[in-house]
């Protein structure tokens, strides 16, 4: 059920003698269509609660990146840091900002889930090749993609080839990607392979988020944290 406070769930707002589509409902639809998990669809920059200076700096940089997003050819980002610093929250907040301000096609994918969905297309079904192409296109053709936990692969040769193919294809098409990873930059090649990491670095700006850096003033430290929205 749509409980939109702006339009009352109708999807429309009055304007002059006519009506326009409700921007809040349009944003919700875009985030749903992008396959963003329900618990992350309310992730915003305003809702991000930094505890360290590193988190604050990352939030400001990702927010500026999203506000400046200029479509095809725009350099992507890779957010690295330990679990709990808010990498996924910031990546989804960036997606939401771009969806709100531009008509870009966006998509959110968890790396392991995407790899599994590709593997699931293998079989004797007559349409398996078509399903395989569809799964690849989900990641390869989207204008702006978040690939969450990019280094969480099984390290099989097949997984590495798929990830390399994805990164290389988006690199060649100059499509922007927001990557997140719990691994530090110097360990990404161990999981993804040197060739994939080379292309990844060529097409992104790297942001390392450190939860152990100097804390902010006590007035900025939060005691309640939206853990469900952070990763």
């Amino acid at each position: 059920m749509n409980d939109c406070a702006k339009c009352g769930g109708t999807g429309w707002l009055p304007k002059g003698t006519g009506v326009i589509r409700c921007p809040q409902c349009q944003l919700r639809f875009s985030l749903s269509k992008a396959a963003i998990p329900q618990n992350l669809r309310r992730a915003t920059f305003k809702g991000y609660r930094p505890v360290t200076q590193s988190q604050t700096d990352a939030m400001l940089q990702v927010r500026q990146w999203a506000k400046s997003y200029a479509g095809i050819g725009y350099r992507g980002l890779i957010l690295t840091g330990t679990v709990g610093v808010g990498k996924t929250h910031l990546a989804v907040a960036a997606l939401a900002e771009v969806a709100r301000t531009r008509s870009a096609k966006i998509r959110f994918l968890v790396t392991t889930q995407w790899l599994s969905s590709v593997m699931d297309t293998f079989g004797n079904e007559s349409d398996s090749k078509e399903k395989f192409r569809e799964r690849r296109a989900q990641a390869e053709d989207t204008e702006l993609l978040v690939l969450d936990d990019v280094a969480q692969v099984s390290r099989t040769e097949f997984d590495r080839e798929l990830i390399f193919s994805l990164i290389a294809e988006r690199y060649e098409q100059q499509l922007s990607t927001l990557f997140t990873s719990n691994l530090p930059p110097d360990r990404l090649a161990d999981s993804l392979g040197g060739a994939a990491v080379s292309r990844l670095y060529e097409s992104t700006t790297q942001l390392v988020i450190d939860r152990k850096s100097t804390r902010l003033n006590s007035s900025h430290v939060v005691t309640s944290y939206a853990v469900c929205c952070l990763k």
Side-chain angles (χ1 to χ4, degrees):
M1 180 179 178
N2 189 338
D3 57 351
C4 179
K6 287 185 175 293
C7 69
T10 67
W12 301 93
L13 291 172
K15 184 175 182 180
T17 58
V19 294
I20 59 171
R21 291 189 180 276
C22 173
Q24 184 167 304
C25 288
Q26 281 189 299
L27 177 59
R28 286 185 178 184
F29 176 76
S30 295
L31 298 183
S32 174
K33 189 176 180 181
I36 295 174
Q38 185 69 42
N39 68 316
L40 287 170
R41 291 179 195 171
R42 295 185 182 274
T44 63
F45 292 116
K46 185 180 292 186
Y48 183 69
R49 298 291 183 263
V51 177
T52 67
Q53 189 62 50
S54 176
Q55 288 174 304
T56 297
D57 292 343
M59 179 193 68
L60 294 174
Q61 291 180 71
V62 177
R63 184 171 65 185
Q64 184 57 47
W65 182 93
K67 289 182 179 295
S68 304
Y69 178 79
I72 294 175
Y74 195 63
R75 193 173 184 84
L77 293 173
I78 176 166
L79 310 179
T80 62
T82 56
V83 173
V85 296
K87 303 180 297 295
T88 304
H89 183 117
L90 290 175
V92 171
L95 272 189
E97 178 66 21
V98 171
R100 185 181 66 82
T101 58
R102 297 175 59 90
S103 57
K105 182 182 178 182
I106 62 174
R107 188 80 182 183
F108 177 94
L109 293 173
V110 177
T111 303
T112 52
Q113 293 177 0
W114 177 71
L115 289 171
S116 294
S117 73
V118 173
M119 288 291 293
D120 288 345
T121 65
F122 296 161
N124 299 320
E125 295 84 354
S126 59
D127 60 347
S128 61
K129 290 184 178 180
E130 182 62 30
K131 289 180 179 179
F132 177 74
R133 285 192 290 267
E134 287 177 1
R135 299 292 192 277
R136 291 281 298 268
Q138 281 182 349
E140 292 180 351
D141 300 338
T142 299
E143 180 181 324
L144 177 57
L145 172 71
V146 166
L147 195 61
D148 197 34
D149 282 337
V150 65
Q152 295 300 312
V153 299
S154 65
R155 302 189 186 185
T156 66
E157 194 62 32
F158 179 78
D159 280 358
R160 284 192 175 195
E161 287 178 2
L162 270 180
I163 292 297
F164 173 76
S165 176
L166 167 60
I167 293 173
E169 180 68 20
R170 295 187 62 79
Y171 171 81
E172 292 168 6
Q173 292 189 50
Q174 295 187 298
L175 297 174
S176 297
T177 308
L178 290 169
F179 300 95
T180 74
S181 175
N182 296 332
L183 292 181
D186 60 356
R187 289 185 54 199
L188 286 175
D190 295 339
S191 180
L192 300 175
V197 170
S198 177
R199 292 290 179 90
L200 187 155
Y201 281 162
E202 286 181 36
S203 59
T204 63
T205 297
Q206 296 83 50
L207 296 179
V208 179
I209 309 176
D210 184 3
R211 72 186 312 171
K212 295 180 180 180
S213 60
T214 304
R215 286 181 177 269
L216 301 172
N217 293 333
S218 59
S219 60
H220 293 286
V221 178
V222 294
T223 55
S224 62
Y225 206 74
V227 177
C228 68
C229 293
L230 298 181
K231 193 169 185 179

